[in-house]
Amino acid sequence: MKRLNPDNCSVVIFHNQGEELQETLELLHKVFSDVIVKSRQDEVLAELDAQQAKDKRSTLLLIDAESCRMPSPDDCPDLLLTVVRLLMQNAIRNVVPIVCSSLDSPSFMVKCLEQGAADFVLKPLSQDVIKTLFLNVTRYQVKRIKEDSSAVETNKGQIWSKFKDRLKGVFLKEDRLSKLVADFYTPKPSVRRSSMASMLSDRKEYLKSQICSWDFLPLELDDKDLIQVVYMILDQVLCTFDQLDSLRVPSGDLYHFIFDICNSYHSANPYHNFRHAVDVLQAIYYFLCQIGALEPMCPEMGGKKEKVEHPLLQLLEPLDIFALLMASIGHDVGHPGVNNLFMVNTSTPLAILYNDRSVLESFHAMSFFHLLQQHCFSSLTDIRANPDYAIFRKIVVNSILATDMSMHDEYVQNIQEQAQRIKRQGIDLSDKAACEKDKILLCGALIKCADISNCARPFPLAKAWAKILAEEFFEQGDLEKELGMAVLPIHQRGKICLEDFQITFKKFVALKLFEAVSQVTSQMQFTVDAIYDNINQWEIMKTERASPLNHIQPAPDGTPARPRPGI
Ligand code: 5GP
Ligand code: MN
């Protein structure tokens, strides 16, 4: 390791407060030759990149906590969290984050260190403190090396040493998983974590009414709204059930978790982006309210009290409900915008890793669980800390895997059989294994409905989603064409009209599922009715398009009308 002294450290300061920085800067310049001040977080990240490109020097990053306004004053600075995440992913190296603040609170100081700060210093910085700041570089590197090497060596018994070499490969260290998921984590500078605190209560009320409506249209919401929607749903569930009180976390921690989920979706995908995830989460929330498993956050929505208790409801514990909601928001994380067949046909490393089976869904489930491990819900993912680990993981993983459409018919058949069996003989609560199987199937059925709930939304919404999905299919087709691969008709522009694309999917894929689920729980019947309505609407559009009048009717300006092009 290069011998350290202040000369081979640069200092980047994040500071955008009105208060005078001049004095501190003078002191810093006496010790360090390279001191840079940045007032915006994106500029800081760019500067850290630039510093690395220059040489292999270490960079001390001084984060002025007061420059990062957070949802609550004792929340960790969002810049710290972003930098620590980038360090863990090896996306940046040799950066040592230090928080400086005038908040003289031991719990805040400890929290910053726990979240990955190398040190915490009180403002104003004195000459003595500044002189020793560079020591953090050594301390931070030593800490990281120690963490790396201690991951597997926790148990040093005799049998362990016999197995050690064989188990080395399968005890994947967390940072290796981090590297796997790092590539799709793209911080979106447009939404600042601190900005959540400023959302007006009118806006929150509007979002609440949206959450409770089947007319929910996330296409009209921006990322900040979408994050707030997720927050409101998770927060409500955590606060409703006493059984979940150990999972209640400070609001800032919950926001950070949701921000990182948002950042783990590719916004360049027309369809499989954070909006779709929030849409699926809202659909699940709506279904759970309809079937009486949740009390809606808007009393006017009705729900729990008016509904007759369904036998399956007795199976859903609060943690199961929470797991299903979590699975919904995480079910497509890191989606690349191309489908499983593409992953297999191009023999991507992910397809090799998962043996061509549910490649994307396996990847989403793995990545999402990894995200959970890194946040305030990490206790849920720790087999030693959480007695309900097994069932929580089972619901999250199985529900995400259930969204693989290649298993659709198998699921539909299982749901139909479940409906008939329950009608015939009810549920035997003493048969724990059977109950768990039923519960997993119910969660799979609900998330499947939520995943393709677009086609059961009111027609204008269903149409908007259909166009977006078609665009994603076409973009995959464009790519396949460029790669010289075979392209399916639904991926070719202008080949199949939007009406046929939708009518076929609804009649032959979606209806079977929604009808089966409505057999299990009649409160879902409204989705079947909506799909029939939408099929009618698409049929009408198709007839209008095919009508000879459409071809010969002159346009108002007298020029002959042309047949409308395909999608
Ligand atoms: P996801 O990939 O979002 O987990 O699962 C949903 C899949 O269902 C989509 O990728 C898509 O293939 C299919 N899907 C959802 N809605 C529609 C639709 O309206 N039409 C068609 N053809 N497929 C749909
Ligand atoms: Mn999906």
Side-chain angles (χ1 to χ4, degrees), residues 430-535:
S430 66
D431 187 345
K432 296 281 175 239
C435 285
E436 185 174 304
K437 240 173 124 180
D438 271 333
K439 179 161 73 180
I440 300 284
L441 184 56
L442 175 68
C443 291
L446 290 175
I447 200 169
K448 278 183 66 55
C449 288
D451 196 22
I452 57 169
S453 60
N454 300 164
C455 45
R457 299 277 187 181
F459 189 67
L461 279 64
K463 193 171 154 195
W465 281 115
K467 282 186 182 164
I468 290 171
L469 179 63
E471 179 52 32
E472 188 164 304
F473 279 7
F474 296 153
E475 288 189 4
Q476 177 177 329
D478 295 342
L479 174 63
E480 287 169 335
K481 204 166 144 198
E482 191 178 279
L483 295 172
M485 295 165 64
V487 186
L488 284 175
I490 52 162
H491 292 258
Q492 288 177 38
R493 293 180 192 274
K495 195 85 176 176
I496 294 173
C497 66
L498 192 61
E499 292 88 342
D500 281 342
F501 170 67
Q502 282 301 296
I503 294 167
T504 313
F505 183 76
K506 287 181 170 72
K507 276 191 180 165
F508 302 108
V509 184
L511 259 183
K512 288 189 291 185
L513 170 73
F514 284 90
E515 279 177 337
V517 178
S518 303
Q519 290 294 309
V520 176
T521 156
S522 59
Q523 287 90 0
M524 291 288 286
Q525 182 60 36
F526 78 98
T527 54
V528 176
D529 302 340
I531 295 175
Y532 276 113
D533 277 354
N534 286 344
I535 292 176

